[in-house]
Amino acid sequence: MYEVIKNKGKLVKAYQLGSDNTVIKELVQNGKICDLGDGRYEIHSQEAVNGAVGGEKAMVGDWIKLDSTGSPYPNDKEYFEANHRHIEGDTFEQFPKPLSAWDAKLEMCPEVMFLVEKKELVIDKASSDRRYTAQLWGTTEAAAEDAMIVFYSISYDDAGNVTDCDWNFVERGEFNRTYSVIR
């Protein structure tokens, strides 16, 4: 696997669901976020739109960031607040930390096999635009053959077997703009 890091000291704009925020209101008006009521939302990220089933599920208190195309994507409240520092207004600094990532140029590894066997990752080698599909954030997400799979955390047992992980697809252009490969 690659070791990657978000570009150092990256400043991001982020918006908390449930807050009285103009950007959230615009995203709702434009259909990129759907308020499902009862504190639940559907977020129409690039990967969720590619999945053609619905939006990623998020809750009041979770955070929304926009990728370089203007598409929203959710960040779990606890993860966001542990990995970002408020600067001012809607601007936050994202703490860079090394992560693991995989793409199809690499050999199959235990972490990706775990996704296939336990997390319902489907790898369709016959499709270039929907090479990868999985149930993530409460919806079907799909990514093209050049997408990266980024692992935000991986848990192992004492024998070194993968027991759980937090992960997602990252579209290649977005990956190239926001991550650097360390090794």
Side-chain angles (χ1 to χ4, degrees), residues 150-167:
V150 176
F151 292 89
Y152 304 109
S153 67
I154 306 171
S155 300
Y156 299 92
D157 64 18
D158 291 339
N161 299 308
V162 178
T163 58
D164 200 9
C165 61
D166 182 22
W167 65 285

Side-chain angles (χ1 to χ4, degrees), residues 6-21:
K6 281 262 190 168
N7 293 334
K8 189 173 182 179
K10 180 177 177 174
L11 295 181
V12 297
K13 297 286 189 177
Y15 318 95
Q16 194 167 35
L17 288 171
S19 66
D20 184 25
N21 183 284

Side-chain angles (χ1 to χ4, degrees), residues 34-117:
C34 294
D35 185 345
L36 302 175
D38 197 27
R40 298 175 302 121
Y41 294 85
E42 264 189 1
I43 313 304
H44 297 281
S45 67
Q46 282 192 75
E47 293 79 12
V49 169
N50 290 342
V53 174
E56 297 181 43
K57 304 304 183 275
M59 302 292 296
V60 165
D62 288 344
W63 289 85
I64 300 300
K65 293 196 280 186
L66 303 178
D67 67 18
S68 60
T69 69
S71 295
Y73 62 96
N75 276 216
D76 173 78
K77 179 184 187 323
E78 289 76 26
Y79 178 86
F80 180 86
E81 292 175 0
N83 290 284
H84 296 78
R85 177 176 65 94
H86 185 245
I87 302 296
E88 67 177 335
D90 296 328
T91 303
F92 294 81
E93 179 183 17
Q94 184 166 339
F95 304 138
K97 71 176 190 177
L99 302 171
S100 296
W102 182 91
D103 70 6
K105 295 176 187 169
L106 298 173
E107 294 291 321
M108 182 59 67
C109 62
E111 293 81 3
V112 175
M113 280 306 301
F114 176 82
L115 297 180
V116 170
E117 294 171 358

Side-chain angles (χ1 to χ4, degrees), residues 10 18 23 45 48 82 133 140 147 155 174 176:
K10 180 177 177 174
V23 173
S45 67
T133 56
T140 300
S155 300
E174 187 67 22
N176 291 342

